[in-house]
Amino acid sequence: MVLKLKIFSFIFIVFTFIGDCEGQNRRKYFDGPYIKIVDGQKDLMWVYKGRVKKKRITSDTIKYFEVENLPRVDISDLSFEVDSGYQYNGVKRFAAISDIHGQHDLFIEILKAQGIVDSIENWNYGSGHLVVLGDVFDRGDKVTESLWFLFQLEKQAKLAGGKVHLLIGNHELMVLHGDVGYIHPKYRYTAGASRIQYPDLFDENTVLGSWLRSKKIAITINDFVFVHGGFSKKVIEKENSIDKINTTFKTQILPNKHIVKDTNDLISNLYFENGPLWFRGYANPKAFDTKQAEYILNALNKESIVVGHTSMPQIISLYGNRILLVDSSLKFGKTGEILLYEEDELFRGLKNGDRLVLNSDDDESRKSIFDYLYEVSDSQTIIYLNTDVNNLKATKLEKAYQDATVSIIDDRELSYSFDARVKVRGNMRKKLCTNPPLKIDFSKSELLSHGFSNNDKLKLVLQCSTLKSQVASLKKEHLVYELYRQIDTLGLRSKLIQVNLVSDKEDQDIYQGFILEDEANLARRLGGQVVEKGIVRPQAMQREAYLKMAFFQYMICNTDFSVAGRHNIETILLDGEIRLFPIAYDFDYAGIVGQEYAVPADVFPIKDVKDRHFVVDDLTEDELKLMIEFYKSKKEGFLSIINDAEYLSTKNKKDFIKVIDQFYDIITSRKKSKRLLPKK
Ligand code: ZN
């Protein structure tokens, strides 16, 4: 509870801060059109570069509202059809997507990738049905775009024999009930500048407002039920007629924002947390199971329920395809999927156009928590690690696990919270750093219920101390991982992320860190297994991979690794291979990183980590040639990654490039490169 309070107060602070910045952004705002029909006249209002524009249209001669950066709206036909029924049978294919939350561009990208609309956003899905399971409103800044798009797509679909269904989500209901707690600052600006309260832009007399009020909360297609949050057992025990539920919503809940909590009353049960717009119980295995799913589906006489509302890293099927969770976190504007049904089969439609068969409770196709963070996190993402920080630091040499709660805040929103354990990891850093590297061990069952794979480890590397120079060193080390992946797909992936170590007693500072892929995650990704034990000689490794790795270490001035000593090298056996492949990690002692505490080991004939020492003592001339050619082909790629690293200062980049240039100076010189060969 303490953690939750802290997070929300943090969110509030950021929010206010952004509110203060509105003035600078308002020139950029484009919004609308909002259209009201009064006595047959169309009153249009929109925001253009921060200025409110109004126009009254009395004749039918103007066909389109067409303004730069705003949706094109056919104002000659603002009528819409209200569906009487809610059941659709014999549908050959459908697509379902949810919780768009103002991420209109991503929404369109997915629809295009899966051929639901064509390249100019027109209906391309024939007699198929597209279901949008609510929560078009709130969070993002392109809500109006999605609404007009769906308003017009609905008509196109109908002409083609298809159908668009927009269902009401809790965020539609909130806005229609006057709750503007989640609207984007842009819409607060629209309301302020136009002097019309945001919910009033969608009142009964507006085109979009009356259209939204005509929408249902649940429909069925073939044997599937669609509803935003879900039908809980509690609700179904009270009422199992979808028709009755839709009618109750439309006539008694939508027009009435003062509903009183009363467990015996149907309206109250439909409105509050266990109601169909808010229920999140399906993804909670502690409170839900296949039996309950069967009970609910029997009562509804259907086979599957498709829901949004509960954000998942991807589309998830649970309880033998009985529950399909399709809110694939579009709200962060980065990733998202669409559920596809075709010829009795279900697919996850990805935004790159791929389709993957959706299997129930299929761990193999799921993202790991690392994969998710790698894809979705950005400079706004913060990992909150709530644990006894003092104890963790005081006992860092013991490397023992202690309890922790891990929360992930994306874009000011709490996206996930897990019970976990955390411990210190690392060799030297656990001794030298006040913030040693950490390993988080998640509970497998918690990961599974949140839609992740059961890959339960997450490695975090933090800035060693609070010194500013340590932030730069950490970022440079991350950059080394980025470069390493250029020589080999075997490189561990890393991503910069902010970490807040939180104790119950006091808030700690936010540190710069990066997440580092766990070997098991890598092995799963590449198909193979990590070999942790046994003696490995460099000579027994896959030779080319070994040489690429050794040259890389030479390039970055790193001698802090040993294959035979299993020091900063993991070994992996890939499927179908006989020899082991090396995976290098922990580059904090590399000269290129310039870490203050780094010194070379006594066994090497160098005094400074910036000096170079080549560890391979049996390199042949042919191998040298091969490596020179290989590294020549990589130079441009290395340089562009360094130059694109906007998280590094110009000086840091220059220093980095200097070290790389020295390496190329050596390998491209006949004389100098020969020194890498064994002495005769
Ligand atoms: Zn929702």
Side-chain angles (χ1 to χ4, degrees):
M1 203 58 221
V2 175
L3 174 77
K4 272 188 187 151
L5 283 174
K6 277 179 186 162
I7 288 164
F8 286 117
S9 62
F10 169 76
I11 293 167
F12 179 72
I13 291 161
V14 177
F15 230 93
T16 347
F17 173 68
I18 285 175
D20 287 336
C21 293
E22 272 179 49
Q24 290 159 17
N25 292 328
R26 67 173 178 223
R27 279 166 186 277
K28 293 183 209 145
Y29 284 154
F30 290 85
D31 186 23
Y34 296 94
I35 306 177
K36 210 170 197 155
I37 299 181
V38 188
D39 303 330
Q41 301 181 97
K42 297 159 198 162
D43 281 345
L44 277 68
M45 188 278 281
W46 66 97
V47 177
Y48 181 82
K49 287 186 183 167
R51 290 184 182 280
V52 174
K53 308 274 179 186
K54 287 181 180 167
K55 196 173 186 132
R56 171 165 291 182
I57 292 173
T58 47
S59 75
D60 283 338
T61 49
I62 303 169
K63 189 161 165 61
Y64 288 107
F65 170 86
E66 258 181 315
V67 170
E68 161 198 11
N69 285 338
L70 290 177
R72 181 176 190 255
V73 178
D74 180 353
I75 49 172
S76 71
D77 179 17
L78 293 168
S79 64
F80 54 87
E81 209 168 278
V82 180
D83 300 322
S84 49
Y86 67 94
Q87 304 180 80
Y88 302 86
N89 293 311
V91 175
K92 294 245 160 34
R93 55 178 183 164
F94 68 71
I97 191 163
S98 188
D99 294 69
I100 296 151
H101 282 305
Q103 298 295 341
H104 182 67
D105 297 337
L106 178 58
F107 173 43
I108 296 291
E109 191 185 340
I110 297 168
L111 294 182
K112 279 184 183 170
Q114 293 299 334
I116 313 290
V117 299
D118 64 18
S119 61
I120 50 166
E121 301 177 19
N122 284 324
W123 183 255
N124 188 37
Y125 200 44
S127 60
H129 287 220
L130 169 66
V131 189
V132 178
L133 287 118
D135 281 8
V136 173
F137 274 96
D138 286 345
R139 306 186 201 279
D141 66 350
K142 284 195 170 177
V143 172
T144 326
E145 284 81 347
S146 290
L147 293 172
W148 281 119
F149 166 73
L150 289 168
F151 182 86
Q152 301 184 98
L153 193 69
E154 208 176 74
K155 297 177 194 185
Q156 292 180 2
K158 194 182 168 232
L159 282 175
K163 186 104 190 117
V164 173
H165 308 270
L166 170 62
L167 303 182
I168 297 276
N170 57 310
H171 283 270
E172 278 72 35
L173 187 67
M174 281 159 79
V175 169
L176 296 179
H177 274 181
D179 181 347
V180 293
Y182 289 88
I183 63 173
H184 189 275
K186 176 172 120 173
Y187 298 115
R188 213 161 284 144
Y189 179 79
T190 299
S194 68
R195 295 174 195 282
I196 304 172
Q197 305 250 342
Y198 187 67
D200 293 342
L201 294 167
F202 299 96
D203 74 16
E204 293 87 342
N205 300 316
T206 63
V207 175
L208 291 177
S210 56
W211 173 67
L212 284 166
R213 282 173 178 76
S214 76
K215 297 301 172 195
K216 302 200 159 45
I217 67 142
I219 58 157
T220 68
I221 297 178
N222 303 347
D223 283 318
F224 296 83
V225 181
F226 297 81
V227 61
H228 180 67
F231 288 119
S232 62
K233 198 171 171 225
K234 260 199 180 129
V235 162
I236 289 303
E237 279 168 350
K238 277 225 143 13
E239 182 55 65
N240 69 351
S241 154
I242 292 176
D243 197 27
K244 173 91 187 285
I245 291 172
N246 272 325
T247 316
T248 309
F249 245 89
K250 194 169 182 166
T251 57
Q252 309 203 52
I253 294 178
L254 214 51
N256 174 17
K257 49 183 155 184
H258 304 290
I259 293 163
V260 184
K261 209 161 189 176
D262 171 3
T263 45
N264 294 317
D265 175 36
L266 176 64
I267 295 172
S268 165
N269 272 289
L270 290 177
Y271 181 67
F272 288 102
E273 68 271 16
N274 284 318
L277 300 192
W278 288 98
F279 183 62
R280 279 192 216 272
Y282 296 151
N284 178 5
K286 286 174 199 146
F288 200 82
D289 54 24
T290 307
K291 254 195 165 154
Q292 283 191 60
E294 273 174 352
Y295 173 89
I296 293 163
L297 283 160
N298 278 340
L300 295 168
N301 199 19
K302 292 287 166 191
E303 281 173 13
S304 296
I305 304 179
V306 184
V307 296
H309 189 55
T310 304
S311 294
M312 290 279 144
Q314 63 184 57
I315 291 176
I316 296 288
S317 166
L318 296 174
Y319 316 110
N321 278 349
R322 286 180 182 85
I323 306 287
L324 306 170
L325 301 154
V326 301
D327 172 2
S328 54
S329 301
L330 272 78
K331 64 183 175 191
F332 300 122
K334 289 164 196 153
T335 58
E337 303 181 352
I338 188 165
L339 176 74
L340 301 164
Y341 166 89
E342 221 170 289
E343 289 177 15
D344 260 340
E345 245 193 308
L346 292 164
F347 303 89
R348 292 163 50 208
L350 312 188
K351 71 170 181 172
N352 66 4
D354 286 354
R355 291 178 175 205
L356 306 174
V357 175
L358 179 68
N359 288 318
S360 185
D361 311 299
D362 170 13
D363 180 49
E364 281 303 300
S365 79
R366 289 191 184 187
K367 285 176 193 164
S368 66
I369 182 88
F370 175 86
D371 293 335
Y372 171 79
L373 286 168
Y374 186 74
E375 274 178 35
V376 171
S377 69
D378 60 18
S379 57
Q380 304 290 318
T381 310
I382 303 172
I383 296 180
Y384 277 76
L385 194 60
N386 192 357
T387 190
D388 186 340
V389 178
N390 291 338
N391 186 61
L392 186 74
K393 290 185 175 179
T395 60
K396 60 184 182 173
L397 299 184
E398 291 156 34
K399 292 189 177 182
Y401 274 120
Q402 65 180 47
D403 287 344
T405 309
V406 180
S407 305
I408 298 162
I409 311 286
D410 271 306
D411 203 14
R412 292 171 271 133
E413 290 270 344
L414 175 67
S415 54
Y416 291 99
S417 190
F418 303 92
D419 288 333
R421 302 187 302 162
V422 63
K423 72 171 186 180
V424 168
R425 49 176 279 274
N427 297 314
M428 290 310 288
R429 272 188 271 215
K430 72 170 188 286
K431 295 177 198 147
L432 298 168
C433 298
T434 43
N435 297 323
L438 301 173
K439 184 182 243 177
I440 301 171
D441 177 35
F442 292 89
S443 128
K444 283 194 161 105
S445 66
E446 280 226 332
L447 286 173
L448 290 173
S449 68
H450 283 91
F452 292 98
S453 77
N454 66 5
N455 205 306
D456 56 356
K457 302 286 189 296
L458 185 70
K459 289 179 179 172
L460 279 177
V461 181
L462 303 176
Q463 62 183 85
C464 177
S465 71
T466 49
L467 286 175
K468 216 177 158 197
S469 62
Q470 287 301 331
V471 176
S473 295
L474 182 103
K475 287 176 172 175
K476 284 195 227 166
E477 190 183 356
H478 161 71
L479 181 56
V480 173
Y481 280 101
E482 300 247 286
L483 297 182
Y484 186 58
R485 284 200 304 281
Q486 296 302 300
I487 65 153
D488 219 312
T489 50
L490 293 181
L492 297 170
R493 292 175 297 170
S494 67
K495 184 139 190 205
L496 291 171
I497 204 161
Q498 300 188 74
V499 180
N500 195 347
L501 299 182
V502 193
S503 284
D504 277 334
K505 297 170 199 86
E506 55 189 305
D507 260 304
Q508 308 282 319
D509 286 329
I510 294 185
Y511 297 118
Q512 182 62 59
F514 60 76
I515 48 167
L516 180 63
E517 187 170 26
D518 179 73
E519 315 79 76
N521 198 73
L522 176 98
R524 193 180 94 133
R525 177 160 66 89
L526 298 172
Q529 61 191 69
V530 179
V531 180
E532 281 176 0
K533 296 212 167 69
I535 297 162
V536 217
R537 288 178 308 119
Q539 291 78 3
M541 304 205 98
Q542 208 281 344
R543 185 68 176 171
E544 201 179 321
Y546 171 70
L547 291 177
K548 282 179 183 171
M549 182 278 294
F551 270 80
F552 184 84
Q553 304 276 21
Y554 185 64
M555 177 175 83
I556 61 165
C557 297
N558 192 25
T559 53
D560 186 34
F561 69 99
S562 157
V563 171
R566 286 196 173 277
H567 177 58
N568 290 346
I569 297 281
E570 292 285 350
T571 52
I572 185 168
L573 185 62
L574 295 172
D575 296 343
E577 293 280 349
I578 309 162
R579 287 173 182 267
L580 292 173
F581 283 69
I583 302 154
Y585 63 97
D586 269 8
F587 301 108
D588 57 324
Y589 273 64
I592 202 167
V593 171
Q595 183 52 273
E596 287 144 8
Y597 56 71
V599 282
D602 297 341
V603 294
F604 299 117
I606 48 170
K607 290 207 168 59
D608 193 294
V609 288
K610 291 205 166 80
D611 300 332
R612 288 177 198 275
H613 174 68
F614 190 58
V615 298
V616 183
D617 55 13
D618 59 350
L619 186 71
T620 68
E621 282 194 39
D622 284 347
E623 286 172 343
L624 176 61
K625 252 193 214 156
L626 188 75
M627 284 300 119
I628 290 173
E629 283 317 303
F630 175 75
Y631 270 87
K632 271 185 182 169
S633 74
K634 293 290 167 188
K635 187 176 181 185
E636 217 173 294
F638 287 149
L639 292 180
S640 72
I641 288 181
I642 298 166
N643 285 317
D644 289 349
E646 84 290 345
Y647 50 85
L648 274 190
S649 69
T650 317
K651 177 166 186 314
N652 285 163
K653 285 183 195 177
K654 266 193 188 154
D655 293 346
F656 225 85
I657 291 173
K658 211 168 131 189
V659 179
I660 304 279
D661 277 343
Q662 283 165 0
F663 166 78
Y664 278 97
D665 182 50
I666 295 168
I667 64 160
T668 53
S669 147
R670 210 164 226 280
K671 212 171 120 199
K672 289 179 190 166
S673 65
K674 283 249 179 340
R675 286 181 212 150
L676 300 176
L677 294 167
K679 291 193 180 68
K680 283 181 186 134

